Amino acid sequence: MNFLANSNFLPRLAGALFGLGTFASLAKSSMYTVDGGERALIFDRTVGIKEVVRGEGTHFLVPWFQKPIIVDVRTTPKRLSSETGSKGKSHPPTSSSQSLLLFQTRGSHLIPFFFFFFLFG
């Protein structure tokens, strides 16, 4: 029996492939990954920014209604430099100092509050 001779085979195959492609597209768009040193907030179109902070890993969301906002919480260095001098009449001596400041976002529960405050202030 020839499958191509059957008039129902090609439309059924096209429908099955379309359904499989639609399912794969929805599955891919409903997953997101949070890398190490990052946290994710969820923006929901119905309620705004949710209070839940997601940690590292793969998470699920409802496509189009929710959107992940990735926030970096790693320890980052900041170099601070300063020059000071005395009030002299000729060529005042100056001294310079440099400091390295390491800071890290603490309190993951405060991230939604700060994000909302700075965004909608």
Side-chain angles (χ1 to χ4, degrees), residues 81-98:
S81 61
S82 170
E83 282 196 25
T84 60
S86 63
K87 295 182 180 179
K89 292 187 178 187
S90 66
H91 304 299
T94 61
S95 65
S96 64
S97 64
Q98 291 186 357

Side-chain angles (χ1 to χ4, degrees), residues 44-99:
D44 195 329
R45 291 183 190 264
T46 57
V47 295
I49 297 173
K50 290 190 170 186
E51 294 291 326
V52 178
V53 178
R54 304 286 179 174
E56 304 167 359
T58 302
H59 304 283
F60 295 96
L61 55 83
V62 180
W64 195 82
F65 283 106
Q66 296 177 336
K67 178 182 176 185
I69 301 169
I70 306 296
V71 179
D72 186 15
V73 294
R74 287 178 270 192
T75 302
T76 54
K78 172 102 173 147
R79 185 173 301 274
L80 303 172
S81 61
S82 170
E83 282 196 25
T84 60
S86 63
K87 295 182 180 179
K89 292 187 178 187
S90 66
H91 304 299
T94 61
S95 65
S96 64
S97 64
Q98 291 186 357
S99 299

Side-chain angles (χ1 to χ4, degrees), residues 10-25:
L10 289 178
R12 284 187 180 189
L13 179 65
L17 289 177
F18 180 76
L20 184 64
T22 303
F23 176 76
S25 175

